[in-house]
Every structure is written in C-alpha cells, then in structure tokens.
C-alpha cells in the first residue's frame, strides 16, 4: 500500500506501462510487415532492405557521433570561456517574462538558459542534461508535487517547439544522404521553429490565464 500511494512509484509504473505499449506496438509493426512480405512474395526485398538499413544506421551513427563530439566540445569551450554566461545574460529579459516567478539567479533559471541555448544552436543531445536538471529544480519549487506547475508546462512547450538557428541534426542527415546543399535547410528551419515556438508560448499563456480564472 505504501508503494501504491507513493507518487514516484506511480510515475514509474506509468512509465513502464508506456514502454511496454511501445514495445508491443513496434513488435506488431514488424510482425505485420513480415507476414505481408511473405504472402506478397517480397520476403527477399524485406531481407535486403533490413540489411541495407542496418548498414545505413551504423554509418549514420558514426557520422552523428563525430558531429556530436565536435559540438559538445565546442559547447564546453563556450562554457569555460564565458560565452554561455554572456548568452544567458542576453536571454535573461525574455526568460524573466516567460518565467516571472522564478528567481533570476536560481539554479532552475541557469539550467533553463543552458538548455535553450543548446536548442537554439541545434544541439539537442547537449540540451537534454540541463533540461532534465531544470525540470528537477522546477519540481523542487513546485508547491503541488502531484501536478505540473505552469513553469514546468511552459518549459516543456518551449522544448517541444525548439527554436533553432542552426539545425545541426537535419544538416547531418541531409549530408549523409548526399544532399547537394545540406545547409539550405537553415532558413526554413529558423522560420518553422520560430512559428512553432511563438504558437507554443501563446498557447501556454492562454491556458495559464484560463487556469487562473
């Protein structure tokens, strides 16, 4: 009974159920594909496609690993040189309006700014650790531990919309598949993520006002 009433235990059980559902879903997709290929006479194409995709996946992982190491190293250099701190100060006015109840010099605001800078630079893998730490700090400040605060919702929406100035991942994918100009996605990427971020913030503010009324 103690475990069942523990919020962390409930969250763990929900996460495990979601994981099991995803496993069942992917297993069903694979099974349906194999059965269809067998009955349609395309089992050879399925086998060759699976092998070719495996090789492509390994090559893509190696390419992405190199890009990840390079940009993560540059982020660490930027952090040591004070560039991240300077960019964080530049984001401070906007963050203070998005998160007016958070202390400016608190750990939550520090992790949020680091996460947003990494996302803006297109470094999703570098944004994940500070994003998790930011959520942990926001949970500490949350008066209702069983319900996400408005700051947590806003931060999650901004992460999902993910404003990006340099879409490193997409550029790497396009280069992997021999795009003539892989960097031409930068302009459309900025426009698309700017619109999605603006729409997400407006939605969060509208829902916040509805919640307060």
């Amino acid at each position: 009974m103690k475990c069942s009433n523990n919020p962390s235990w409930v969250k763990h059980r929900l996460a495990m159920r979601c994981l099991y559902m995803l496993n069942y879903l992917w297993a069903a997709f694979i099974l349906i594909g194999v059965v269809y290929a067998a009955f349609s006479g395309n089992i050879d194409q399925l086998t060759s496609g699976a092998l070719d995709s495996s090789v492509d996946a390994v090559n893509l992982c190696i390419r992405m690993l190199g890009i990840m190491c390079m940009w993560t190293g540059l982020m660490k250099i930027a952090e040591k040189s004070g560039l991240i701190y300077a960019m964080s100060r530049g984001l401070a006015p906007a963050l203070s309006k998005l998160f007016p109840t958070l202390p400016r010099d608190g750990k939550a605001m520090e992790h949020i700014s680091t996460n947003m800078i990494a996302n803006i630079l297109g470094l999703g893998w570098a944004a994940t650790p500070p994003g998790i730490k930011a959520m942990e700090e926001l949970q500490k400040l949350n008066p209702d531990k069983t319900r996400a605060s408005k700051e947590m919702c806003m931060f999650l929406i901004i992460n999902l919309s993910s404003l990006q100035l340099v879409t490193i991942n997409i550029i790497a994918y396009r280069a992997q598949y021999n795009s003539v100009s892989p960097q031409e996605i930068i302009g459309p990427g900025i426009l698309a993520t700017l619109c999605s971020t603006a729409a997400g913030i407006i939605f969060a503010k509208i829902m916040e006002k509805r919640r307060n009324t």
Side-chain angles (χ1 to χ4, degrees), residues 5-25:
N5 294 328
N6 189 339
S8 61
W9 174 255
V10 174
K11 291 179 182 178
H12 175 72
R13 291 188 61 185
L14 289 174
M16 293 303 297
R17 287 182 180 178
C18 292
L19 181 61
Y20 290 146
M21 289 178 62
L22 288 175
N23 289 338
Y24 293 146
L25 183 62

Side-chain angles (χ1 to χ4, degrees), residues 115-134:
N115 170 269
M116 290 185 64
I117 290 170
N119 273 326
I120 288 173
L121 296 177
L123 307 175
W125 48 80
T128 301
I132 295 174
K133 292 180 180 179

Side-chain angles (χ1 to χ4, degrees), residues 7-206:
S8 61
W9 174 255
V10 174
K11 291 179 182 178
H12 175 72
R13 291 188 61 185
L14 289 174
M16 293 303 297
R17 287 182 180 178
C18 292
L19 181 61
Y20 290 146
M21 289 178 62
L22 288 175
N23 289 338
Y24 293 146
L25 183 62
W26 283 112
F29 285 158
I30 294 172
L31 182 60
I32 292 172
V34 171
V35 172
Y36 179 80
F39 279 98
S40 61
N42 296 320
I43 195 67
D44 293 337
Q45 296 181 13
L46 176 66
T47 304
S48 61
L51 294 176
D52 293 340
S53 298
S54 300
V55 174
D56 291 341
V58 173
N59 292 333
L60 181 60
C61 288
I62 294 174
R63 178 183 291 270
M64 293 302 297
L65 180 61
I67 296 173
M68 183 188 306
C69 292
M70 181 189 71
W71 281 100
T72 305
L74 289 177
M75 282 289 291
K76 183 60 67 174
I77 293 173
E79 180 181 351
K80 295 294 184 181
S81 64
L83 180 60
I84 297 297
Y85 177 73
M87 294 180 69
S88 299
R89 291 186 62 183
L91 285 175
L95 292 180
S96 63
K97 293 187 178 297
L98 293 174
F99 307 96
T101 60
L102 296 181
R104 287 196 173 187
D105 298 329
K107 290 185 177 180
M109 193 67 80
E110 176 185 350
H111 295 314
I112 288 173
S113 61
T114 304
N115 170 269
M116 290 185 64
I117 290 170
N119 273 326
I120 288 173
L121 296 177
L123 307 175
W125 48 80
T128 301
I132 295 174
K133 292 180 180 179
M135 274 296 186
E136 291 176 350
E137 293 298 326
L138 291 174
Q139 178 65 2
K140 292 178 183 178
L141 300 173
N142 186 10
D144 186 359
K145 304 300 182 184
T146 62
R147 185 177 183 181
S149 64
K150 59 183 181 181
E151 291 81 11
M152 297 173 73
C153 294
M154 175 65 76
F155 179 62
L156 181 61
I157 288 175
I158 292 175
N159 264 266
L160 292 174
S161 60
S162 187
L163 173 63
Q164 293 186 3
L165 299 181
V166 184
T167 52
I168 301 298
N169 287 348
I170 304 302
I171 292 174
Y173 295 149
R174 288 167 61 87
Q176 171 70 20
Y177 293 104
N178 303 318
S179 173
V180 176
S181 181
Q183 72 279 359
E184 68 181 2
I185 196 65
I186 293 178
I190 294 175
L191 180 61
T193 55
L194 181 62
C195 293
S196 64
T197 302
I201 293 174
I202 292 172
F203 173 78
K205 288 296 184 181
I206 292 174

